[in-house]
């Protein structure tokens, strides 16, 4: 199943990804990076895009930007918490 994000969702994901890295840098924490083929900002943007995709699929509230932590919860569906992971492969599956 392919889910196309709106320009607004893609823009929000871009801002949230950049903000996450900037907050870490401002606090003196080097952004963690487990994939040498992309920047931490790019990885964060992809992660937020994955969250937006799940939101659109299940008609959930948009993801939020958290300063300290998300506590391992990206989204909520009723009383069920959801943690979203993306594979980094084009047209790869999302895990949630």
């Amino acid at each position: 199943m392919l889910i196309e994000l709106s320009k607004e969702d893609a823009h929000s994901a871009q801002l949230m990804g950049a903000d996450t890295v900037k907050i870490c840098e401002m606090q003196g924490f080097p952004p963690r990076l487990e994939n040498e083929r992309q920047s931490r900002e790019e990885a964060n943007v992809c992660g937020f895009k994955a969250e937006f995709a799940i939101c659109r699929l299940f008609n959930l509230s948009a993801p939020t930007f958290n300063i300290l932590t998300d506590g391992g919860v990206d989204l909520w569906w009723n009383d069920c918490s959801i943690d979203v992971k993306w594979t980094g492969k084009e047209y790869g599956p999302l895990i949630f």
Side-chain angles (χ1 to χ4, degrees), residues 60-72:
L60 304 175
S61 299
T64 58
F65 177 73
N66 302 289
I67 300 294
L68 295 177
T69 180
D70 63 11

Side-chain angles (χ1 to χ4, degrees), residues 3-70:
I3 299 169
E4 186 172 339
L5 297 181
S6 68
K7 288 181 181 179
E8 181 180 0
D9 287 349
H11 177 74
S12 293
Q14 186 71 42
L15 296 178
M16 293 166 75
D19 287 350
T20 300
V21 171
K22 190 62 173 177
I23 291 292
C24 287
E25 290 172 349
M26 290 170 61
Q27 295 297 318
F29 300 115
R32 58 186 169 87
L33 181 62
E34 296 153 5
N35 179 353
E36 296 177 0
R37 291 174 286 173
Q38 66 184 171
S39 71
R40 186 66 229 172
E41 183 176 325
E42 291 168 332
N44 285 345
V45 169
C46 289
F48 281 117
K49 284 182 177 181
E51 292 176 19
F52 274 102
I54 298 302
C55 287
R56 298 310 168 228
L57 178 63
F58 293 109
N59 196 30
L60 304 175
S61 299
T64 58
F65 177 73
N66 302 289
I67 300 294
L68 295 177
T69 180
D70 63 11

